[in-house]
Amino acid sequence: MAVDDFLPSRHGFAFTNAWPDQPAVTLPTPFGDIGIGNAGGGLCGGMAFAALDYWLAGRAPGLDRPAAGDPLYRYIVDRLIDSWHAPAGVAQFYQWMSLPDGDNVIKLFGRRVVTERGLGWRTVRVQWPQIKKDLDRGLPVPIGVVTTASRNPKDLGLNHQVLAYGSGADGSRVTLRVYDPNRGRRDDITIRMDTSAPARPVTFDHNLGLGQRPIRGFFRVAYTPRQPA
């Protein structure tokens, strides 16, 4: 493993997640084959996985943006497919897109009964403790970021993937430091959340390269190291 801590300015790719129009990446899913657009739509998961691969191998990532057909380009595309962890990972993105932000609650015989956990509770109570455990050990964690509410499988490509590499807390306020392929080698990219009321919709403040899209929740992505190209 690399001896120094992960830092985007040292261990991220020198180029951002911006690519010319190139053939689409098609993934098999429980809903049928889904094209994640062409490369112009982004290869965020592949870049996050590849950056972690290089860091674990103690090697510097590529400096120049690879052209289609280059070994590094093919490697990033392969890692993008790995990052979707089909079919389970794709199904998790789809499930989270379909869930409410806060818990669904009904009153039954005068008592409040939770009928469905929302993204706030699933992020804060289930996913965050798992992510924090690895971060506390100094191990970066790829996370899937849900940015849209939809039941249309074609909207899967609107979601995002980043690499969390550090965290801090001020009371119930948690800050994740992340490598966002959309932002390149910036060390100031963060996701912030208040963990005090996870049953209600949780507000996520961020400066990820998502345009106007919000963060609704995030989860740990299944990752297996691979020898980098």
Side-chain angles (χ1 to χ4, degrees):
M1 181 181 293
V3 294
D4 54 344
D5 293 337
F6 185 96
L7 199 63
S9 58
R10 291 199 303 263
H11 305 109
F13 287 100
F15 47 86
T16 60
N17 183 33
W19 306 87
D21 289 341
Q22 290 162 352
V25 176
T26 301
L27 297 178
T29 78
F31 320 105
D33 288 350
I34 294 178
I36 307 301
N38 56 39
L43 304 174
C44 56
M47 292 181 68
F49 267 43
L52 182 51
D53 290 342
Y54 275 98
W55 181 78
L56 289 171
R59 294 171 53 188
L63 296 177
D64 298 323
R65 185 186 310 278
D70 286 351
L72 178 57
Y73 177 81
R74 292 197 300 268
Y75 181 75
I76 291 174
V77 171
D78 286 346
R79 293 304 269 157
L80 171 67
I81 296 172
D82 292 341
S83 76
W84 280 85
H85 193 52
V90 177
Q92 185 168 9
F93 266 110
Y94 182 75
Q95 179 197 24
W96 279 48
M97 284 166 50
S98 308
L99 290 169
D101 291 319
D103 291 355
N104 280 336
V105 179
I106 63 172
K107 281 195 174 182
L108 188 64
F109 303 114
R111 299 182 61 185
R112 291 168 54 86
V113 177
V114 176
T115 60
E116 187 171 44
R117 290 295 187 183
L119 296 194
W121 191 91
R122 292 169 187 259
T123 300
V124 171
R125 290 292 179 86
V126 180
Q127 297 296 322
W128 169 233
Q130 300 176 34
I131 294 167
K132 185 178 185 299
K133 184 176 180 179
D134 273 348
L135 294 179
D136 287 347
R137 294 167 50 211
L139 184 63
V141 182
I143 60 175
V145 180
V146 177
T147 71
T148 186
S150 173
R151 295 184 181 274
N152 186 347
K154 293 183 179 180
D155 290 336
L156 281 164
L158 296 176
N159 299 304
H160 193 40
Q161 296 190 68
V162 298
L163 183 64
Y165 64 90
S167 69
D170 181 7
S172 62
R173 296 285 299 175
V174 170
T175 299
L176 272 73
R177 301 176 66 195
V178 302
Y179 164 56
D180 178 7
N182 288 359
R183 293 296 199 188
R185 286 184 156 180
R186 288 179 52 175
D187 296 334
D188 63 340
I189 305 303
T190 60
I191 299 172
R192 293 185 172 90
M193 62 180 179
D194 190 330
T195 61
S196 61
R200 298 198 294 268
V202 174
T203 298
F204 298 89
D205 300 318
H206 70 90
N207 59 347
L208 273 59
L210 295 177
Q212 299 300 313
R213 299 200 306 279
I215 291 178
R216 299 185 58 226
F218 58 81
F219 57 85
R220 180 195 184 101
V221 173
Y223 167 82
T224 300
R226 181 170 164 181
Q227 188 65 25

